[in-house]
Amino acid sequence: GESVGLHLPTLSVQEGDNSIINCAYSNSASDYFIWYKQESGKGPQFIIDIRSNMDKRQGQRVTVLLNKTVKHLSLQIAATQPGDSAVYFCAERTNAGKSTFGDGTTLTVKP
Amino acid sequence: EAGVAQSPRYKIIEKRQSVAFWCNPISGHATLYWYQQILGQGPKLLIQFQNNGVVDDSQLPKDRFSAERLKGVDSTLKIQPAKLEDSAVYLCASSRSGQGNSPLHFGNGTRLTVT
């Protein structure tokens, strides 16, 4: 069956360091992979996505890497700031719009 | 643009009571989703609408949950009767289309506590 999982439930980094959040997925048929950020009391917020035919995509301070060989997805956050503290979810999405979410990694940024 | 609006923000009910949640998606978004998020877990899809038609309700416990989107805009999700395990945050999301390249926009959810 489909499942999307994250390697670590929690991650703590020092302010200014780079953060790497990892995710493993199992559905080879997914067409898009997405990272969401969820702050306390709020809904998930779209950060960045990547199509299955790509291996890297960059945004503002964020980079997503996709390794289809090992079914691995990662989110890199450069120069992590206190405002980056949140729960991060990876999700996979088919062309038909069906999304499956993993269970999240809680990122804590220490000042 | 205005985001996805949900109400109420919080609801506390006793088991076996009924409850309803309301969602107003982003204007022009054809696709609307209801997700259940249990504490510490990722959101799980309950139902997906395309305009006012149901696209996917395979994960909706139909013996107690119902949802409608009568005019293809606002939607309501109802639980009757509620069980303790229904305690969760209920998230509404919308997207411009139901295709994979159309990102989801989430509301802030309704936190339901069943006692």
Side-chain angles (χ1 to χ4, degrees):
Chain A
E2 298 175 5
S3 68
V4 181
L6 292 168
H7 292 307
L8 291 173
T10 61
L11 177 65
S12 183
V13 300
Q14 206 69 38
E15 181 180 357
D17 287 352
N18 296 335
S19 302
I20 300 176
I21 301 172
N22 295 305
C23 176
Y25 66 92
S26 61
N27 186 3
S28 301
S30 294
D31 300 289
Y32 294 89
F33 300 89
I34 310 112
W35 283 100
Y36 291 88
K37 173 186 179 183
Q38 187 172 26
E39 296 174 286
S40 181
K42 296 186 177 181
Q45 179 185 13
F46 172 90
I47 301 173
I48 190 168
D49 65 358
I50 186 168
R51 273 190 89 154
S52 59
N53 62 355
M54 300 170 65
D55 53 22
K56 181 179 180 179
R57 190 174 185 204
Q58 288 184 293
Q60 187 177 15
R61 279 203 308 120
V62 294
T63 300
V64 56
L65 298 178
L66 176 64
N67 185 331
K68 293 181 288 294
T69 302
V70 295
K71 295 182 182 175
H72 183 267
L73 184 70
S74 68
L75 177 70
Q76 300 177 2
I77 305 173
T80 314
Q81 302 168 0
D84 295 326
S85 293
V87 180
Y88 289 81
F89 292 96
C90 64
E92 50 186 320
R93 190 162 163 85
T94 65
N95 262 331
K98 184 177 174 69
S99 297
T100 304
F101 285 78
D103 281 341
T105 290
T106 300
L107 175 66
T108 302
V109 182
K110 297 177 288 186
Chain B
E1 61 183 2
V4 176
Q6 289 190 247
S7 67
R9 285 286 280 135
Y10 305 94
K11 192 73 178 177
I12 301 174
I13 61 172
E14 295 182 351
K15 60 183 179 183
R16 291 188 289 274
Q17 287 187 322
S18 63
V19 64
F21 313 125
W22 174 82
C23 172
N24 180 237
I26 292 173
S27 178
H29 280 196
T31 312
L32 184 147
Y33 313 77
W34 283 102
Y35 283 85
Q36 180 193 60
Q37 186 175 27
I38 292 172
L39 187 64
Q41 298 181 16
K44 185 186 84 171
L45 179 68
L46 292 174
I47 189 167
Q48 176 183 342
F49 292 94
Q50 182 70 21
N51 297 308
N52 60 351
V54 174
V55 173
D56 184 353
D57 64 356
S58 58
Q59 300 297 310
L60 188 73
K62 298 180 188 63
D63 58 333
R64 299 184 300 106
F65 286 63
S66 64
E68 60 184 14
R69 192 185 185 200
L70 292 176
K71 296 182 179 179
V73 181
D74 294 4
S75 177
T76 55
L77 176 70
K78 297 179 182 178
I79 308 175
Q80 182 179 13
K83 293 185 176 182
L84 295 176
E85 61 259 35
D86 298 332
S87 293
V89 175
Y90 290 84
L91 295 163
C92 179
S94 69
S95 62
R96 192 169 297 280
S97 77
Q99 295 186 338
N101 62 351
S102 183
L104 299 181
H105 299 261
F106 283 87
N108 288 330
T110 296
R111 181 176 297 278
L112 173 67
T113 302
V114 182
T115 62

